[in-house]
Amino acid sequence: MKLEQPYKGKESKARNEKGSVRLDVYDTNDGQVYDYKFVKNPGKGLSNRQKSKIIREGPDGLTKNDIHEVNPK
């Protein structure tokens, strides 16, 4: 697992760069991304635009089905 890891151009980066995306949790075993949202209305925190950016900049091979919003109570 990688925690709070920035990615840009499908590559892991040591720090945030302009245009990069930071993944809250990336499970390297099954290729799943977990994006934690602390919002009043669960399910409305992760936009399609953000999902598209994660797919574009994140690890190779990600699809929208690999990205999961997590709403802790």
Side-chain angles (χ1 to χ4, degrees):
M1 283 209 179
K2 292 186 177 185
L3 307 174
E4 303 262 336
Q5 182 65 48
Y7 281 83
K8 185 172 181 184
K10 307 284 184 196
E11 295 181 5
S12 179
K13 300 296 180 180
R15 65 180 80 87
N16 287 334
E17 297 179 5
K18 186 175 181 176
S20 67
V21 63
R22 189 181 73 217
L23 306 181
D24 292 339
V25 177
Y26 175 54
D27 188 336
T28 55
N29 291 323
D30 63 8
Q32 302 297 295
V33 173
Y34 300 92
D35 192 277
Y36 283 76
K37 295 294 180 195
F38 298 89
V39 295
K40 290 183 181 181
N41 298 315
K44 296 184 179 182
L46 187 59
S47 68
N48 284 330
R49 182 177 174 186
Q50 183 65 15
K51 286 181 183 180
S52 294
K53 185 174 181 180
I54 291 170
I55 291 167
R56 184 176 63 249
E57 300 296 339
D60 198 29
L62 287 179
T63 68
K64 286 187 178 186
N65 292 331
D66 298 323
I67 303 167
H68 311 280
E69 180 178 327
V70 179
N71 301 107
K73 292 183 179 188

